[in-house]
Amino acid sequence: MAKGSKKTKTSAKSAKDERSKDKRPKGADRTGAGPKKSAPGEPVQTTVTKGAPVPQTFGEALRAGPTTRVDEIDTRGTPGFDGDKAAAAELMPELADVVSELQERLYAESKGGGQRSVLLVIQGMDTSGKGGIMRHVVGAMDPQGVALTSFKVPSDEERRHPFLWRIRRALPRAGEIGVFDRSHYEDVLVVRVHDLVPRAQWSRRYGQIATFERGLVESGTTVVKVMLHISKDEQRARLAERLARPDKHWKYNPGDIDEREHWDEYMEAYQSVLERTSTESAPWYVVPADRKWYARLAVMQLLKEHLEAMDPRWPAADFDVEVEQERLEHT
């Protein structure tokens, strides 16, 4: 981890790249019709292309329960999806369109007084694909409605405050989708593995985190927590690729090798996180991440399912539409 934390707005560039293969207008159906916005309260539909299999509910397939064991999860699995990489590639552009519209509805809802928001938490070991999620999933949304925060090693100022202080400062505002690249869970993962604070201190944090997240949900924030779960062998392969390719040397951190020495301890720490903080109101979703394409599909689908459950509404006009139409005709 590098020093400092930074809150930025995401770029929609990767979304444009992702959709470049599909030249139809955004929202067009298979008959070639133009873009179509859903009416207030109408569910947004995804059109499946070329016989690609429709995913089951990813939330149900990936949610961590009381019996979930990190060491028993197949990191190359594709829970909730029977297709392959090509089928996922067919689905992603249209899923991105759906999520983009739902996000726009959430943002517009806040302009009419709505107070709801979404917080997407992404955690995972080094090379687990967090950057790819930021580019291919978060990048598919309108940057004006997204607040991305990448949490690094706490600054001197942050250390002078309780561990949740910097987290509270980065929470999404009404209408926003907040994204945490790493999060407050570093304070019960890295801190625990490296004994950075006394055991009694980090042990108390599980309860503090659960209370904190319950308060977020009660105040109108939907919390979506994702653990990108890769195998130790897959991490080795990804680190080897970074070392073998000059264009990836900038992504390599010698400290990643040091962290590999603590792999088993990290898995124990993640197991405790799932057991003690996967709650009814803010559950964890464990996403097998050895297949990058599946991890991206799964996170996009999780966002879609949660936004659809929220059902954000277009705000009613605060002016007389007919009067304004008549005024416009006379200009």
Side-chain angles (χ1 to χ4, degrees), residues 71-93:
D71 57 2
E72 295 177 355
I73 293 173
D74 179 5
T75 55
R76 289 188 60 79
T78 60
F81 187 64
D82 295 329
D84 57 12
K85 184 177 181 178
E90 291 281 357
L91 283 171
M92 279 294 283

Side-chain angles (χ1 to χ4, degrees), residues 19-149:
R19 291 196 289 267
S20 62
K21 297 178 183 178
D22 191 346
K23 301 302 183 182
R24 294 173 298 114
K26 179 180 178 180
D29 63 21
R30 290 291 151 180
T31 64
K36 179 182 178 182
K37 292 287 187 181
S38 58
E42 177 184 341
V44 182
Q45 298 296 326
T46 302
T47 304
V48 179
T49 62
K50 297 182 180 179
V54 180
Q56 303 169 25
T57 302
F58 279 66
E60 294 178 353
L62 299 170
R63 180 169 177 156
T67 61
T68 298
R69 294 290 309 174
V70 170
D71 57 2
E72 295 177 355
I73 293 173
D74 179 5
T75 55
R76 289 188 60 79
T78 60
F81 187 64
D82 295 329
D84 57 12
K85 184 177 181 178
E90 291 281 357
L91 283 171
M92 279 294 283
E94 293 181 74
L95 281 173
D97 284 347
V98 172
V99 170
S100 180
E101 182 184 330
L102 287 163
Q103 178 213 12
E104 183 182 1
R105 281 164 50 174
L106 179 66
Y107 186 75
E109 181 183 87
S110 72
K111 300 307 176 183
Q115 295 298 309
R116 298 189 297 173
S117 61
V118 173
L119 176 60
L120 173 64
V121 174
I122 302 294
Q123 285 285 157
M125 296 291 286
D126 296 317
T127 77
S128 60
K130 295 183 292 294
I133 296 298
M134 300 307 142
R135 290 190 298 274
H136 296 279
V137 179
V138 179
M141 296 182 280
D142 187 338
Q144 74 173 335
V146 175
L148 169 62
T149 307

Side-chain angles (χ1 to χ4, degrees), residues 276-308:
R276 302 182 67 174
T277 65
S278 189
T279 62
E280 186 65 30
S281 59
W284 274 100
Y285 299 94
V286 182
V287 174
D290 279 9
R291 302 175 192 263
K292 294 179 181 180
W293 61 265
Y294 172 77
R296 295 164 186 173
L297 174 71
V299 176
M300 183 73 85
Q301 186 71 23
L302 285 170
L303 268 179
K304 172 180 175 287
E305 290 174 11
H306 282 82
L307 284 165
E308 285 181 332

Side-chain angles (χ1 to χ4, degrees), residues 161-179:
H161 296 273
F163 78 101
L164 287 173
W165 179 78
R166 64 176 183 164
I167 305 300
R168 294 183 188 278
R169 299 180 71 200
L171 290 173
R173 295 170 295 186
E176 285 186 335
I177 294 180
V179 183

Side-chain angles (χ1 to χ4, degrees), residues 157-224:
E157 179 187 14
E158 290 168 341
R159 286 193 184 94
R160 290 194 291 269
H161 296 273
F163 78 101
L164 287 173
W165 179 78
R166 64 176 183 164
I167 305 300
R168 294 183 188 278
R169 299 180 71 200
L171 290 173
R173 295 170 295 186
E176 285 186 335
I177 294 180
V179 183
F180 285 178
D181 180 355
R182 301 187 189 271
S183 67
H184 41 298
Y185 284 97
E186 295 293 283
D187 291 285
V188 288
L189 290 168
V190 177
V191 168
R192 168 178 169 162
V193 170
H194 291 286
D195 296 319
L196 299 181
V197 301
R199 179 186 180 90
Q201 186 173 343
W202 59 251
S203 184
R204 285 195 300 269
R205 289 176 176 175
Y206 297 109
Q208 292 171 319
I209 287 172
T211 299
F212 166 66
E213 292 177 347
R214 183 168 60 251
L216 288 182
V217 173
E218 290 173 351
S219 67
T221 298
T222 294
V223 179
V224 185

Side-chain angles (χ1 to χ4, degrees), residues 50 152 154 172 237 248-249 256 265 308 322:
K50 297 182 180 179
K152 307 298 184 182
K248 289 186 178 290
H249 286 173
D256 292 346
E265 296 161 83
E308 285 181 332
E322 292 184 359

